């Protein structure tokens, strides 16, 4: 956190250095996907040598999940195609509003504007052999999307799971779920709430994400039950596509 000298922010443990939450997914049939495009997208792509992205799936349109979209123009050049963006209607509207220069036909050309193609998520759909199942979740009073991909599920910025979404999480093997801090928060699960949801989902492995500096990596992980741990930047996980 900017201007903070707490022990997490001063930690030497690289796992306490956290950029904004995002996923890079490579499928067995070679698709490369991002989940969200936060303000650290450029740094993350450079750090992890990401040179190909076929599409971006959005959980929601908050700044920490979309503000890296301008840097997508580099992928336009590399891939020689517009970038396909998938999100719910609210998220696509937020992208159109936040990046109005991209969608304004009067914006002068030549300055390097990302080329974006927007697709509304209205239910499960396929990217290559991968089935993408949107999982509606609560982020405070606002409905956003979790994602189920085979035996993997990603529920960031979650503060509640509606009854109708639990069946969509049956049989998840690897779960990534948001856990902001120890204290309750109006729009994010606390660690205890995320653990409770994770227990009910029953994945073999659960990783917590979107932590703030209240949750130092090593000390927090020491107190977690088997099969649950904090995620960290650069963590790689393999999950089956079933
Ligand atoms: Zn701090
Ligand atoms: Zn959010
Ligand atoms: Zn967020």
């Amino acid at each position: 956190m900017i201007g903070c000298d707490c022990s997490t922010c001063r930690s030497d443990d690289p796992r306490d250095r956290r950029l904004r939450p995002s996923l890079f997914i490579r499928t067995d049939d070679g698709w490369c996907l991002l989940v969200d495009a936060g303000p650290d997208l450029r740094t993350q792509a450079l750090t992890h040598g990401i040179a190909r992205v076929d599409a971006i799936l959005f959980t929601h349109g908050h700044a920490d999940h979309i503000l890296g979209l301008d840097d997508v123009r580099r992928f336009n050049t590399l891939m020689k195609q517009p970038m396909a963006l998938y999100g719910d209607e609210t998220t696509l509207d937020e992208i159109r509003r936040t990046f109005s220069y991209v969608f304004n036909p009067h914006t002068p050309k030549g300055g390097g504007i990302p080329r974006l193609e927007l697709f509304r998520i209205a239910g499960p759909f396929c990217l290559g052999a991968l089935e993408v199942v949107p999982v509606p979740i609560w982020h405070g009073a606002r409905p956003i999307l979790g994602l189920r991909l085979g035996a993997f599920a990603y529920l960031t910025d979650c503060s509640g799971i509606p009854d109708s979404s639990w069946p969509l999480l049956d049989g998840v093997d690897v779960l990534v779920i948001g856990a902001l801090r120890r204290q309750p928060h109006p729009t994010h699960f606390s660690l205890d709430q995320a653990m409770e949801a994770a227990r009910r989902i029953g994945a073999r492995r659960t990783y917590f994400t979107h932590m703030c500096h209240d949750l130092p990596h090593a000390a927090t992980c020491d107190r977690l039950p088997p099969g649950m741990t904090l995620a960290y930047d650069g963590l790689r996980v393999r999950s089956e596509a079933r």
Side-chain angles (χ1 to χ4, degrees):
M1 177 173 279
I2 292 173
C4 182
D5 63 356
C6 79
S7 56
T8 309
C9 291
R10 284 187 289 106
S11 165
D12 294 331
D13 186 336
R15 297 168 303 180
D16 283 319
R17 294 211 145 251
R18 297 169 180 152
L19 300 180
R20 262 55 71 93
S22 184
L23 302 181
F24 177 69
I25 295 170
R26 192 179 287 118
T27 68
D28 285 338
D29 57 344
W31 280 67
C32 294
L33 311 170
L34 284 180
V35 179
D36 294 330
D40 300 316
L41 182 152
R42 181 170 181 274
T43 304
Q44 289 160 328
L46 290 170
T47 302
H48 301 289
I50 294 169
R52 170 176 180 169
V53 176
D54 296 289
I56 306 178
L57 309 173
F58 285 93
T59 59
H60 65 303
H62 279 166
D64 55 330
H65 297 258
I66 69 168
L67 279 189
L69 262 180
D70 189 78
D71 286 312
V72 157
R73 56 202 164 95
R74 177 59 184 148
F75 293 109
N76 295 150
T77 306
L78 290 169
M79 310 285 301
K80 300 182 180 61
Q81 63 185 26
M83 181 63 75
L85 311 184
Y86 293 83
D88 65 17
E89 193 62 52
T90 307
T91 300
L92 298 184
D93 280 345
E94 283 163 335
I95 289 173
R96 286 189 201 96
R97 232 180 15 251
T98 306
F99 294 89
S100 59
Y101 63 93
V102 173
F103 303 96
N104 182 345
H106 302 300
T107 301
K109 305 288 180 238
I113 300 168
R115 287 185 294 139
L116 308 174
E117 258 189 291
L118 276 48
F119 298 93
R120 186 167 78 91
I121 298 178
F125 63 101
C126 285
L127 296 173
L130 179 75
E131 189 187 25
V132 178
V133 180
V135 180
I137 55 176
W138 291 110
H139 184 17
R142 145 193 196 133
I144 65 166
L145 297 183
L147 296 167
R148 169 86 188 255
L149 312 167
F152 174 81
Y154 184 54
L155 308 176
T156 190
D157 293 62
C158 184
S159 61
I161 301 174
D163 290 345
S164 52
S165 288
W166 287 100
L168 301 173
L169 298 166
D170 271 354
V172 166
D173 183 50
V174 178
L175 170 68
V176 178
I177 185 168
L180 189 69
R181 60 187 192 186
R182 295 211 174 272
Q183 299 302 318
H185 185 279
T187 61
H188 291 265
F189 275 153
S190 66
L191 183 58
D192 282 346
Q193 290 169 327
M195 286 170 67
E196 191 184 319
R199 268 189 219 102
R200 181 164 165 193
I201 292 167
R204 190 169 51 88
R205 282 178 294 160
T206 293
Y207 299 92
F208 300 106
T209 191
H210 214 306
M211 295 77 66
C212 79
H213 59 166
D214 292 359
L215 297 175
H217 189 91
T220 307
C221 288
D222 282 349
R223 292 158 63 181
L224 290 173
M228 295 190 188
T229 186
L230 298 191
Y232 54 87
D233 287 29
L235 172 69
R236 287 168 189 240
V237 172
R238 176 157 178 90
S239 175
E240 297 306 316
R242 65 169 162 78

